Amino acid sequence: MKKYTMGVVAASMLFASGCASILSDSSYPVTINSTPTGANFTITDEAGLDVHSGVTPDTITLSASDGFFSSATYTIRYQLAGYNEQSFQLKAGMDGWYIGNILFGGLIGMLIVDPATGAMWKLPESAHVTLNPAAASASSAPMGGLTIASIDQVPEEVKSQMIRVK
C-alpha cells in the first residue's frame, strides 16, 4: 500500500508541474557585445521602459516572458562616439522543453504552469552588433568649410582612394 501511495504522489507531482518549468528557467543570461567594444548600450522593453544600461561587453539576466502566454521582446540601442547608432531586437522564442508537456507535464503544464512561470520561452544567449563608422560628409560642414574626421570615420571605399601626405 505504501508503494502505491508513493507512486500516486510522485505521479501527481510530475503531472502538476510543467516540463519546461522543471528543466528550464524563465530568466536567462544574455551577453551584450559590440565590435568595437566599449559601446554604451540601453535595453528597453516593449513598453519603452529602460530595463538596463551599460558598456559592452556585459552579461545581464533578462526575463523571457512578458506575461501569461506572452514572450518578451527587448530593443538594445548601441552608441559609440564616431560610429552610427545601431539597434538590435532581442526576442524570446519557444523553449523546446515546453513541447515535453505532451509527454510529461500534460495539459496543466502546457496551459497553466509553463505559461504562468514564463518557462515556455527562451532568450538567445547573446546580442552582438558591428558598429559602422560615421561617415564625414561635405554637407555636414558649415557652408562648404573644412571638416576634420578621424580615419576610423572614413568608409573603406574612400580610404582606398586616399593619398598619404607627408
Side-chain angles (χ1 to χ4, degrees):
M1 181 68 171
K2 265 188 172 180
K3 287 184 180 182
Y4 176 75
T5 304
M6 292 293 283
V8 169
V9 169
S12 297
M13 289 179 68
L14 180 65
F15 290 109
S17 60
C19 192
S21 60
I22 294 171
L23 299 170
S24 295
D25 291 320
S26 55
S27 295
Y28 293 91
V30 179
T31 301
I32 311 297
N33 213 339
S34 66
T35 302
T37 60
N40 294 314
F41 69 89
T42 304
I43 301 174
T44 56
D45 62 12
E46 290 178 89
L49 300 173
D50 287 349
V51 175
H52 188 84
S53 60
V55 177
T56 63
D58 196 0
T59 300
I60 61 168
T61 302
L62 295 170
S63 176
S65 176
D66 190 31
F68 195 71
F69 272 110
S70 180
S71 64
T73 300
Y74 299 97
T75 301
I76 307 169
R77 192 177 75 238
Y78 296 84
Q79 295 176 314
L80 182 62
Y83 292 85
N84 293 324
E85 182 178 305
Q86 195 163 338
S87 293
F88 182 91
Q89 191 170 56
L90 187 71
K91 183 163 179 54
M94 182 82 57
D95 189 325
W97 288 111
Y98 177 67
I99 304 304
N101 281 309
I102 295 169
L103 299 174
F104 299 111
L107 286 176
I108 293 173
M110 189 168 257
L111 299 176
I112 298 172
V113 178
D114 288 350
T117 62
M120 70 182 290
W121 307 111
K122 183 173 182 149
L123 284 168
E125 294 177 1
S126 65
H128 182 268
V129 299
T130 300
L131 298 171
N132 298 317
S137 67
S139 63
S140 64
M143 298 183 62
L146 177 66
T147 300
I148 299 175
S150 165
I151 191 70
D152 294 333
Q153 295 173 306
V154 178
E156 289 298 323
E157 61 271 6
V158 175
K159 284 183 188 178
S160 66
Q161 299 172 3
M162 295 174 74
I163 300 170
R164 180 178 218 102
V165 179
K166 294 183 181 186

